[in-house]
Amino acid sequence: MFFGLFKNKAKAEPKKLFYTTDIHSHILPGIDDGSPNTEISLALLSAMKSWGIENVIATPHIAEECFENSTYTIKCAYEKLSTYMLDMGIEMPVSYSSEYRLDGGFKRLMANNDLILLKNNYLLIENSFVQPPIDIKNIIYELQLKDIKPILAHPERYSYYQRNKDVYGELFDAGCEFQINLLSLTGYHGEREKETAMWLINKGYISFVGSDLHHFGHVDAINRFLASKEYDSIAERVKDIIKNDELK
Ligand SMILES: [Fe+2]
């Protein structure tokens, strides 16, 4: 029932997203707070395809207190989805990495060089939403010593940074790149997140946009955004400053 979008063209073509490589999503089945099973994974991929996404990088959480994933569990989930897609005759380029929470577990993974890198040695990292990692600048530096380029996921969502925007400039100057959430641009995460995302864009701090897609509530929000009047102006503002395609 979910597979119609792969086969049938809608009568009225919906607007497409302003990028075709999505570098942040939770569409691997059953290993974090994203898709619970392969059927839902395919339905989420189907929605992404309808937006014009051509390459999907799945980035399940690795966070020691809530998502005890590893390179192995992520690989297994990816293989499960790949097998299911093959069985269903569905082709869509999907690869995987992870969204690494900056916690004690991450430091061990970093020390063991057990990190699933994105193309060109990029790595997607995230903070706790409760408090900032006190040593984030050291972590950025240690990653750079390993020739790894950190991308901080959804900087606009951390309330402690929203209240102290100077930190954004400090992290940017330290060489950390930023990925804002498409969902923040839709207003889904709140007005403050949307304002902060636009502020970051206007400061020239943004390198990437990601869907951070977890579930159908997110799909609905993005569909509404694509149909909205403000979509065109935001897309025009952002499309030429991001480099998502470098990671395809
Ligand atoms: Fe995420």
Side-chain angles (χ1 to χ4, degrees):
M1 59 177 163
F2 294 125
F3 314 127
L5 278 167
F6 282 101
K7 291 175 180 166
N8 303 322
K9 278 202 165 178
K11 282 176 189 166
E13 278 291 320
K15 276 188 228 169
K16 300 299 184 193
L17 272 178
F18 51 85
Y19 64 87
T20 58
T21 299
D22 194 71
I23 70 160
H24 182 170
S25 65
H26 299 267
I27 54 90
L28 291 190
I31 55 169
D32 68 357
D33 55 347
S35 169
N37 57 52
T38 47
E39 262 207 342
I40 302 287
S41 297
L42 277 199
L44 295 174
L45 284 171
S46 170
M48 294 173 105
K49 191 178 174 86
S50 77
W51 303 330
I53 298 294
E54 296 168 3
N55 298 282
V56 176
I57 305 170
T59 51
H61 294 282
I62 296 182
E64 64 180 351
E65 284 192 358
C66 39
F67 305 108
E68 289 186 48
N69 278 314
S70 65
T71 300
Y72 179 72
T73 63
I74 293 173
K75 179 171 177 280
C76 290
Y78 171 78
E79 286 174 353
K80 189 174 178 186
L81 178 62
S82 297
T83 301
Y84 189 61
M85 289 174 72
L86 203 63
D87 289 346
M88 301 303 295
I90 289 164
E91 287 181 23
M92 185 165 180
V94 178
S95 58
Y96 67 91
S97 177
S98 178
E99 180 180 15
Y100 290 93
R101 179 77 51 86
L102 298 184
D103 55 21
F106 177 74
K107 287 178 186 166
R108 285 190 291 279
L109 294 175
M110 188 165 59
N112 294 332
N113 292 317
D114 184 13
L115 298 169
I116 313 168
L117 299 178
L118 295 157
K119 198 171 173 189
N120 298 335
N121 276 11
Y122 278 106
L123 190 75
L124 190 66
I125 57 174
E126 69 165 344
N127 290 359
S128 155
F129 285 104
V130 180
Q131 57 188 6
I134 51 169
D135 53 353
I136 187 169
K137 287 181 195 163
N138 285 339
I139 294 170
I140 291 168
Y141 181 65
E142 282 185 45
L143 288 169
Q144 289 167 333
L145 287 180
K146 292 173 181 285
D147 201 25
I148 295 171
K149 295 180 274 191
I151 304 170
L152 182 62
H154 38 64
E156 76 282 3
R157 295 194 63 199
Y158 306 119
S159 58
Y160 44 80
Y161 288 167
Q162 293 168 357
R163 293 191 294 269
N164 179 19
K165 288 193 172 64
D166 288 349
V167 177
Y168 292 124
E170 292 169 16
L171 296 178
F172 182 81
D173 290 342
C176 186
E177 301 196 38
F178 293 141
Q179 172 258 304
I180 53 169
N181 273 10
L182 181 63
L183 285 161
S184 294
L185 298 176
T186 73
Y188 178 91
H189 294 306
E191 270 312 303
R192 188 135 193 201
E193 285 71 9
K194 184 172 179 177
E195 276 170 30
T196 306
M198 295 308 296
W199 183 88
L200 288 163
I201 290 166
N202 290 332
K203 292 294 274 187
Y205 289 160
I206 297 305
S207 299
F208 303 95
V209 175
S211 71
D212 201 3
L213 189 64
H214 284 69
H215 51 68
F216 296 122
H218 291 165
V219 171
D220 291 342
I222 292 168
N223 281 335
R224 283 196 299 277
F225 182 54
L226 287 172
S228 70
K229 283 185 185 159
E230 72 172 340
Y231 172 71
D232 291 328
S233 61
I234 291 179
E236 198 56 37
R237 179 78 188 80
V238 180
K239 69 180 170 62
D240 292 329
I241 63 172
I242 57 171
K243 48 187 185 182
N244 286 37
D245 281 345
E246 287 185 16
L247 303 193
K248 75 178 175 191

